[in-house]
Amino acid sequence: MSDIDLFSPFQIGPHTLKNRFAMAPLTRNRASREGVPGPMQVEYYRQRAGAGLILSEATCISPEAVGYPFTPGIWNGIQVSGWADVTAAVHGEDSKIFCQLWHVGRISHPDLQSDGQLPVAPSAIAPAGETFTYEGVKPFVTPRALETGELPGIVNAYRIAAKNALSAGFDGVEIHAANGYLLDEFLRDGSNARTDAYGGGVDGRARLLMEVTEAVCGVWGPSRVGVRLSPVNPFNDMRDTDPRATFTRVVELLGRFDLTYLHVTELGRDAPGAAGPFFDPLELHKVWKGAFMANAGYDKAKANAVLAEGRADMVAFGVPFIANPDLPERYRRDAPLNTPDPATFYGGGEEGYIDYPALD
């Protein structure tokens, strides 16, 4: 046990964080239809800059990467300009902010694609369930399997998005390889049935993530790049025959980059076995030699315990930050928390977004 807690400063790469709170990436569906963050987003992130590190909501790397209405992008100059206002507001509150780079893969829908095309994926395997479009809820479609020759273009889209994030004033980037989106779809054998160099064993299925990581590190340097994984999360109809072996090897492969942190979500604990034979995702810290961020269902006591035990170096909070813009200060004072309103989590205006009261 150590005396490290949520309020202990922490160094990630070149950045000294004022505490070990991370604000988790939270899709809120309030950007413009063109994927541009506006004044509401500036205020939303400014309010929550008590966190040592803010992880932006998942941000689409290209038009093809879009999978939900009113989600932000970072593939053009207007989007970059909108994000620049956000990063300036966060820096004005003495916090750091990373941009989470996102391609949804098969979770998109033709209604969300610029020319009505099919979403892309490692394999033509449709997820079970439905998705949200501008025309309402619709069933998932069977995606188009990416050709081997198309994958360098995917890597380049991540590279361009990383450059745009640098221009927007972010302090780093997080590669979203979790929760059933494109890179996660490649990692898990329930969604990747390829027989080329990007399929088969774990090394093949992890190849695209490694190429994306190399490209993004080429823009930022590894000390300002993190990766997010979700080994046991069944969200978006995801599964793997051996999650422990798959993700242990993925973490070993990522280890050669000397990244600033690994962000592992423990979502799936409430449905053990749904995504494949269950194991504790925090076990991956034994393989990972760098900074390790835990995520999913933490409160102050649980977070301080996992930090003191050395099982994580930072803890990401999601829903508590939605309802409590001043979450670190509330935890510092042991003050009551605001009650979140799930009806306003996704879409809408200021209500349930920037109108939750702070303590003072």
Side-chain angles (χ1 to χ4, degrees):
M1 298 286 287
S2 73
D3 57 359
I4 292 172
D5 65 11
L6 284 165
F7 301 99
S8 303
F10 188 56
Q11 190 78 23
I12 57 167
H15 305 305
T16 301
L17 306 181
K18 59 190 177 184
N19 56 48
R20 296 179 186 236
F21 287 85
M23 176 177 156
L26 295 163
T27 295
R28 305 299 307 277
N29 306 87
R30 283 172 168 85
S32 74
R33 188 158 178 161
E34 295 72 34
V36 180
M40 272 202 309
Q41 282 73 38
V42 173
E43 178 61 13
Y44 172 76
Y45 284 104
R46 186 200 65 75
Q47 289 178 354
R48 288 154 180 80
L53 177 64
I54 290 177
L55 304 175
S56 81
E57 60 205 276
T59 302
C60 303
I61 62 168
S62 66
E64 182 185 69
V66 175
Y68 300 95
F70 302 112
T71 51
I74 196 156
W75 68 80
N76 64 38
I78 298 174
Q79 295 164 345
V80 169
S81 179
W83 277 120
D85 292 337
V86 171
T87 61
V90 170
H91 293 154
E93 301 294 329
D94 190 31
S95 186
K96 305 296 182 184
I97 180 168
F98 277 33
C99 182
Q100 191 188 62
L101 304 179
W102 192 30
H103 191 310
V104 305
R106 69 180 188 173
I107 299 306
S108 189
H109 189 278
D111 288 0
L112 295 163
Q113 297 291 308
S114 56
D115 56 1
Q117 65 195 18
L118 288 173
V120 297
S123 303
I125 301 172
E130 298 175 318
T131 190
F132 293 92
T133 75
Y134 287 106
E135 285 72 42
V137 177
K138 296 189 177 183
F140 285 121
V141 300
T142 300
R144 178 179 67 82
L146 285 158
E147 298 289 339
T148 305
E150 293 180 277
L151 295 176
I154 298 288
V155 174
N156 194 50
Y158 275 95
R159 181 183 292 108
I160 292 170
K163 290 179 179 178
N164 287 342
L166 189 61
S167 297
F170 283 96
D171 300 293
V173 293
E174 179 177 282
I175 298 167
H176 194 349
N179 297 355
Y181 301 116
L182 184 68
L183 296 177
D184 192 27
E185 292 163 17
F186 270 85
L187 292 177
R188 300 202 234 185
D189 60 17
S191 47
N192 184 344
R194 300 176 73 93
T195 57
D196 65 359
Y198 294 86
V202 180
D203 286 35
R205 301 199 309 270
R207 180 174 176 174
L208 182 60
L209 174 57
M210 300 308 136
E211 292 180 352
V212 166
T213 303
E214 184 173 18
V216 171
C217 286
V219 175
W220 280 91
S223 68
R224 294 192 286 173
V225 176
V227 170
R228 188 187 203 198
L229 301 174
S230 59
V232 297
N233 191 1
F235 182 64
N236 284 326
D237 197 27
M238 293 299 290
R239 62 186 60 84
D240 190 85
T241 55
D242 192 347
R244 175 185 273 109
T246 293
F247 285 93
T248 297
R249 180 57 179 160
V250 169
V251 171
E252 289 174 348
L253 292 169
L254 286 170
R256 67 184 175 89
F257 291 103
D258 196 25
L259 302 175
T260 192
Y261 67 79
L262 181 68
H263 178 187
V264 175
T265 174
E266 299 157 66
L267 290 170
R269 284 181 176 276
D270 56 345
F278 184 79
F279 79 106
D280 183 354
L282 293 185
E283 289 182 20
L284 295 174
H285 196 190
K286 300 173 185 176
V287 184
W288 182 253
K289 304 306 181 186
F292 191 92
M293 185 186 301
N295 178 317
Y298 283 91
D299 58 18
K300 178 181 177 180
K302 291 179 182 178
N304 280 334
V306 80
L307 293 172
E309 293 164 1
R311 303 186 72 204
D313 301 294
M314 296 187 68
V315 177
F317 297 87
V319 171
F321 261 121
I322 289 178
N324 299 277
D326 55 347
L327 182 67
E329 185 61 22
R330 287 177 184 265
Y331 276 174
R332 186 186 299 279
R333 300 190 199 179
D334 289 320
L337 300 184
N338 295 323
T339 302
D341 176 13
T344 59
F345 281 1
Y346 304 109
E350 295 184 359
E351 182 183 0
Y353 191 58
I354 57 173
D355 65 344
Y356 283 105
L359 283 171
D360 298 325

